[in-house]
Amino acid sequence: MSIIFHEKSGEFHLTNGKISYIMEIMENGQMGQLYYGKAIRDRESFCHLHEEMPRSLMAGAVESNDVLSMQYMNQEYPSYGTSDYRMPAFTILQKNGSRISNFTYRSHEIYQGKKGIEPLPSTYVENPGEAESLEILLADDLTGVELTLTYTIYADEAVITRHARFQNRGEEPVVLDRALSACVEFKDSDFEMIHLAGAWARERYVKTRKLEMGIQAIQSLRGASSSEHNPFLALKRPDANEKQGEVYGFSFVYSGNFIAQVEVNTHDMTRVTMGIHPEMFSWQLETGETFQTPEVVMVYSNQGLNQMSQTYHRLYKTRLVRGEWRDQPRPILLNNWEATYFDFTEEKILKIARKAKDAGAELFVLDDGWFGARNDDYRGLGDWYVNLEKLPSGIKGLSEKIEEMGLKFGLWVELEMVNKDSDLYRAHPDWVIGAPGRYESPSRHQHILDFSRKEVVDGIYEMISKIIRESKISYIKWDMNRYMTEPFSKGGTPEDQGKLMHRYILGVYDLYTRLTREFPHILFESCASGGARFDPAMLAFAPQTWTSDDTDAGERMKIQYGTSYVYPLVSMGSHVSAVPNHQMLRNTPLATRANVAYFGTFGYELDLNLLENEEIKQVKAQIEFMKKYRRLIQIDGDFYRLVNPFEGNDTAWMVVSKDKKEAIAAFYQRLNKVNASWLRLRLEGLDEEKLYQVTYHSGHANEEPKVVLEAYGDELMNAGLVIDRNELNRNGGDFASVLYTLKEI
Ligand code: DGJ
């Protein structure tokens, strides 16, 4: 049994042998939190963990007990305005202007499995036995509003998911000014907060800071989850590192505005809240209407950050991603963006594709520039019909020619956007998001279509589904290249304006749902100027995401390392591109570019016709290598971060198969060092008792992989693998790398 209810004490204990999450119905009927962490044995009551004592300047929450003050209570879903002065999880504005509410326990239901929260994406189960769920119904007498708090605990994972649902059963409308998804509280603040921050081309850098009294928060108000802050944070104990110690992860399954906040009060109590950002959110709930918050996925680890990440990886790979591609190794593709930008003809495209086919690639992706008058980024977005001057046989003809070559065909789209210089805008100027009488700030010369309106989503669906139906399309790269400004829906009432930013995201999910249902065989890759919308919700529709527009191998080491805190390798779009790199203007060895890109979906983003013969030999060998190892890397393996690029010159990581019979490890350096110190790479995740054959893959053309060592797992994990600096020199010095595969003998 994973969810236990102790009727006498009014306590709930969610436990699965790995974690315990314990709640109580408090004396005032509200829900309190007693414990969250490593599994502890159950008992009739944990009420001694509920502490009360008189303190000065304290307000009491019930008549009979003036030391029950909400400001000192750990709560499940706190409100502001009674006796708690911290930031609340929700606020309800009532017709008389009051924001005071009192949600008290009414009933609960425990059931096997997990329900969906459509139209929002969420994690799921395939068999009811995989998880157990609890729904706690609370109600506010005065307004008649009901609040349901839903929890799911997975049987075999240290995972609890949460969300909240409001239903207005009263007689008057209310307005939700704030409706977050989860609140978790700790009685102390001895934590460090980790989050993933960045910007375009340097997404998801790992940031760590000690918690201090006051509020520390990350957020997005950009209309997208954003490259600035990923919707994720973790609290770790100061002694926790990659391999050991306690870590609490919080990941938000949502693609729009969010806040993830940690408030430490002056009694060192820590409150974590996460949900849709209350700024620009105001949701009028009419009688009978329901509002559903997105899901927060909480992971607990007592073996450090790596265990937290592996839990997220397993869950997101198998119980968030869905569809035909979920368990499939991903096709090795060639994308023409950095090869041609907008400057291409059918002939040029076919030449690039043919060379890719010869090298062993499986999918050709035609990026931006194939439609309308799109010869630069000033015009054409929104006109989803082919530019016959560039591609005389249309997408239909081109896709057939590519398929005849033996390649699959993929297409780039940016369905949420429009250029003002387009037929679509000229026909529907009111479809653009923008406030009346105000300047509409352009970004990359484009504007956002108002996906909060069904007729807009319908219009785009009609255009794009026609192209997909008539052509041979196996893959779609769904791009999104600007954040929202002047959020206002020209088709909406004044009350609708506070709903726009959330409804917009629901419109995006709606279009994704329609397209993925109608075309289930298509592999979708989401993209937002690289990784500006790399979030769990996108993965529920598009199993992979273009990780970053920065394709430089040196930069990708950091970006992919940070991304791996939450997201599995199979979700990270990673390509080998040309040198000098287009973003960094840097030269890195071809072998290193592949050694980094292997740890993702793998592909190429350059014109292979421009490479020397020796390089083409290398590329062929790389593709062969990836075909051999992609199931291990993407589907079957567990990922271990070994050396942190944010702490020094080097990066290392590895993947180990579930049965620990196979592994692949890579070590990379940034700048070369002369007369340098010794290098030992301590591997992880191997079986101490197994004897492994270690094979070195130099990546040079005409050089076969070479067996370099036989050693037991205990030696490789403790004494380490000797990294030969001569090999790093031979592999290019700066930005050189070495790659090893391991196999049980
Ligand atoms: C931004 C993407 O991240 C790039 O890969 C490319 O598709 C361009 N957009 C095309 O405009």
Side-chain angles (χ1 to χ4, degrees):
M1 179 87 135
S2 305
I3 300 180
I4 304 156
F5 178 57
H6 293 291
E7 204 160 345
K8 227 161 128 204
S9 55
E11 292 172 15
F12 296 91
H13 187 174
L14 283 61
T15 186
N16 59 5
K18 293 181 177 2
I19 43 175
S20 281
Y21 188 93
I22 304 170
M23 294 175 266
E24 60 165 344
I25 304 165
M26 292 187 288
E27 193 182 331
N28 66 352
Q30 296 182 10
M31 293 303 302
Q33 219 171 69
L34 293 176
Y35 173 77
Y36 173 36
K38 186 174 170 14
I40 54 179
R41 83 195 58 214
D42 191 44
R43 56 188 291 167
E44 265 313 303
S45 174
F46 290 94
C47 66
H48 48 284
L49 296 177
H50 173 111
E51 290 175 275
E52 291 175 11
M53 69 192 261
R55 294 177 191 269
S56 58
L57 290 173
M58 185 172 87
V62 274
E63 253 174 63
S64 56
N65 176 355
D66 59 9
V67 292
L68 176 65
S69 182
M70 289 301 110
Q71 62 180 313
Y72 300 113
M73 293 300 122
N74 282 3
Q75 296 165 65
E76 279 306 306
Y77 202 67
S79 68
Y80 170 83
T82 55
S83 56
D84 191 348
Y85 302 97
R86 292 167 291 175
M87 295 300 276
F90 71 99
T91 311
I92 296 185
L93 171 63
Q94 296 138 55
K95 205 174 162 204
N96 64 0
S98 165
R99 287 186 168 83
I100 308 304
S101 60
N102 179 23
F103 281 90
T104 54
Y105 171 85
R106 298 303 148 95
S107 63
H108 72 267
E109 192 193 345
I110 296 172
Y111 53 88
Q112 291 285 303
K114 184 176 195 289
K115 292 180 189 163
I117 52 171
E118 292 80 12
L120 288 162
S122 59
T123 54
Y124 58 89
V125 292
E126 286 204 326
N127 306 302
E130 287 174 14
E132 202 163 27
S133 298
L134 164 67
E135 293 190 14
I136 302 177
L137 178 70
L138 304 134
D140 178 49
D141 284 336
L142 224 56
T143 55
V145 176
E146 285 183 357
L147 164 65
T148 307
L149 302 178
T150 302
Y151 305 77
T152 295
I153 180 165
Y154 277 82
D156 298 325
E157 297 286 2
V159 173
I160 289 178
T161 66
R162 286 189 59 172
H163 63 269
R165 187 172 69 239
F166 290 90
Q167 185 160 21
N168 187 356
R169 291 191 184 274
E171 270 150 32
E172 286 172 353
V174 293
V175 178
L176 292 172
D177 278 342
R178 166 189 288 258
L180 303 185
S181 294
C183 169
V184 172
E185 311 220 51
F186 301 90
K187 283 284 189 203
D188 72 299
S189 64
D190 193 20
F191 289 109
E192 288 169 356
M193 168 174 154
I194 300 186
H195 59 108
L196 305 172
W200 174 77
R202 52 176 175 83
E203 297 91 340
R204 290 171 296 285
Y205 280 21
V206 179
K207 299 286 171 196
T208 308
R209 57 172 118 163
K210 194 180 159 340
L211 284 191
E212 296 292 352
M213 282 176 192
I215 288 177
Q216 32 259 294
I218 53 161
Q219 65 176 34
S220 169
L221 284 171
R222 294 162 195 267
S225 45
S226 90
S227 46
E228 280 67 17
H229 293 287
N230 198 258
F232 159 79
L233 70 78
L235 293 187
K236 76 169 190 68
R237 294 293 179 188
D239 66 350
N241 57 28
E242 280 293 336
K243 290 189 191 182
Q244 60 92 32
E246 276 198 305
V247 186
Y248 295 84
F250 301 86
S251 164
F252 193 34
V253 187
Y254 190 60
S255 312
N257 289 352
F258 75 91
I259 186 155
Q261 181 169 295
V262 186
E263 178 170 3
V264 179
N265 73 4
T266 48
H267 289 83
D268 287 311
M269 294 166 67
T270 301
R271 169 175 288 179
V272 182
T273 46
M274 188 174 238
I276 294 178
H277 203 301
E279 187 68 36
M280 294 308 297
F281 174 86
S282 156
W283 200 275
Q284 176 147 333
L285 207 58
E286 303 293 339
T287 299
E289 281 184 354
T290 296
F291 181 80
Q292 172 76 65
T293 73
E295 179 170 276
V296 168
V297 177
M298 312 193 318
V299 166
Y300 170 78
S301 159
N302 60 358
Q303 282 167 48
L305 288 158
N306 214 101
Q307 191 190 59
M308 173 200 72
S309 301
Q310 287 188 359
T311 304
Y312 276 121
H313 294 180
R314 276 193 304 275
L315 188 76
Y316 286 177
K317 255 187 345 189
T318 63
R319 295 295 180 264
L320 177 62
V321 171
R322 54 205 83 205
E324 290 179 15
W325 281 99
R326 187 187 72 181
D327 305 325
Q328 295 305 316
R330 303 300 155 76
I332 294 169
L333 63 81
L334 186 135
N335 176 303
N336 75 308
W337 178 241
E338 289 194 14
T340 65
Y341 296 103
F342 293 105
D343 181 18
F344 59 81
T345 57
E346 183 180 283
E347 199 188 336
K348 198 165 171 183
I349 289 297
L350 290 172
K351 193 172 167 211
I352 294 173
R354 200 165 293 118
K355 191 74 178 176
K357 168 67 189 162
D358 290 348
E362 297 158 317
L363 168 70
F364 174 82
V365 179
L366 181 63
D367 211 280
D368 196 354
W370 58 266
F371 50 90
R374 185 80 170 166
N375 293 317
D376 51 39
D377 55 16
Y378 285 83
R379 65 208 92 241
L381 274 179
D383 295 341
W384 299 111
Y385 40 82
V386 70
N387 178 337
L388 288 169
E389 272 169 42
K390 274 177 164 172
L391 304 173
S393 43
I395 290 298
K396 181 176 185 304
L398 177 64
S399 62
E400 283 167 3
K401 287 180 193 171
I402 299 273
E403 283 228 336
E404 272 160 32
M405 272 181 207
L407 283 171
K408 294 289 180 193
F409 179 75
L411 194 63
W412 178 98
V413 293
E414 190 175 358
L415 302 173
E416 300 156 65
M417 300 290 158
V418 67
N419 288 117
K420 288 200 170 173
D421 187 356
S422 68
D423 293 343
L424 183 75
Y425 181 76
R426 284 182 281 272
H428 299 286
D430 67 313
W431 280 16
V432 161
I433 285 176
R438 305 283 173 195
Y439 180 63
E440 290 172 352
S441 314
S443 175
R444 204 192 184 199
H445 327 293
Q446 65 193 53
H447 296 267
I448 304 189
L449 289 170
D450 185 353
F451 267 37
S452 74
R453 293 166 64 180
K454 186 169 176 304
E455 68 271 28
V456 178
V457 178
D458 287 348
I460 300 299
Y461 168 75
E462 288 310 324
M463 273 195 267
I464 198 63
S465 57
K466 181 171 177 292
I467 299 235
I468 303 175
R469 262 180 238 126
E470 68 190 21
S471 315
K472 292 193 177 312
I473 295 178
S474 304
Y475 160 107
I476 285 182
K477 177 177 172 186
W478 177 321
D479 205 348
M480 190 287 285
N481 285 302
R482 68 157 292 175
Y483 293 138
M484 202 181 283
T485 53
E486 298 86 33
F488 186 91
S489 171
K490 290 167 185 155
T493 63
E495 289 72 42
D496 285 337
Q497 302 310 326
K499 298 184 173 178
L500 167 67
M501 294 187 91
H502 180 55
R503 277 190 174 156
Y504 172 82
I505 290 296
L506 294 181
V508 173
Y509 296 157
D510 177 28
L511 187 55
Y512 255 120
T513 304
R514 293 193 218 182
L515 294 176
T516 48
R517 282 208 184 128
E518 186 174 345
F519 307 105
H521 69 285
I522 291 183
L523 171 61
F524 280 81
E525 177 156 340
S526 76
C527 172
S529 290
R533 213 163 54 181
F534 202 138
D535 61 60
M538 278 291 126
L539 290 183
F541 302 103
Q544 54 192 61
T545 301
W546 182 226
T547 312
S548 176
D549 270 353
D550 199 334
T551 56
D552 174 79
E555 297 310 295
R556 276 301 188 109
M557 290 168 202
K558 287 191 272 183
I559 296 167
Q560 292 175 206
Y561 189 96
T563 305
S564 79
Y565 269 57
V566 187
Y567 306 97
L569 300 187
V570 67
S571 67
M572 292 186 213
S574 52
H575 301 168
V576 172
S577 61
V579 287
N581 174 265
H582 293 196
Q583 296 76 39
M584 297 300 294
L585 312 176
R586 180 188 277 155
N587 284 298
T588 54
L590 181 52
T592 293
R593 282 176 268 154
N595 286 350
V596 175
Y598 290 145
F599 293 84
T601 59
F602 198 71
Y604 291 81
E605 181 126 354
L606 74 173
D607 183 351
L608 293 175
N609 291 296
L610 304 178
L611 299 193
E612 306 291 336
N613 281 343
E614 284 298 286
E615 291 175 314
I616 285 293
K617 277 189 202 157
Q618 261 181 285
V619 167
K620 284 186 175 160
Q622 290 168 353
I623 292 178
E624 243 175 69
F625 177 89
M626 191 57 184
K627 285 181 180 166
K628 186 163 172 204
Y629 288 99
R630 65 182 154 181
R631 181 162 274 284
L632 169 64
I633 294 170
Q634 299 174 347
I635 309 296
D636 297 337
D638 290 323
F639 184 61
Y640 292 83
R641 292 180 292 266
L642 303 179
V643 180
N644 184 343
F646 297 101
E647 288 174 356
N649 195 48
D650 303 330
T651 306
W653 51 46
M654 68 185 294
V655 174
V656 183
S657 65
K658 292 263 177 297
D659 60 11
K660 301 195 181 291
K661 289 183 173 173
E662 263 194 292
I664 164 166
F667 175 91
Y668 318 84
Q669 67 176 5
R670 294 178 79 77
L671 298 185
N672 204 11
K673 290 179 177 164
V674 69
N675 192 13
S677 34
W678 308 105
L679 267 180
R680 292 274 171 93
L681 182 62
R682 291 170 72 174
L683 303 185
E684 278 178 44
L686 301 174
D687 184 339
E688 294 190 344
E689 304 298 324
K690 284 193 179 6
L691 180 64
Y692 294 94
Q693 183 180 67
V694 181
T695 304
Y696 171 57
H697 302 254
S698 77
H700 296 286
N702 302 325
E703 262 183 36
E704 288 300 316
K706 191 167 78 193
V707 175
V708 287
L709 184 69
E710 284 183 4
Y712 280 93
D714 58 352
E715 179 190 322
L716 292 164
M717 292 192 290
N718 293 293
L721 182 63
V722 172
I723 305 283
D724 185 352
R725 285 213 184 258
N726 292 321
E727 272 309 304
L728 290 171
N729 289 337
R730 201 166 75 91
N731 293 349
D734 290 351
F735 298 97
S737 58
V738 285
L739 184 77
Y740 300 90
T741 53
L742 286 83
K743 208 177 160 71
E744 187 194 7
I745 302 175

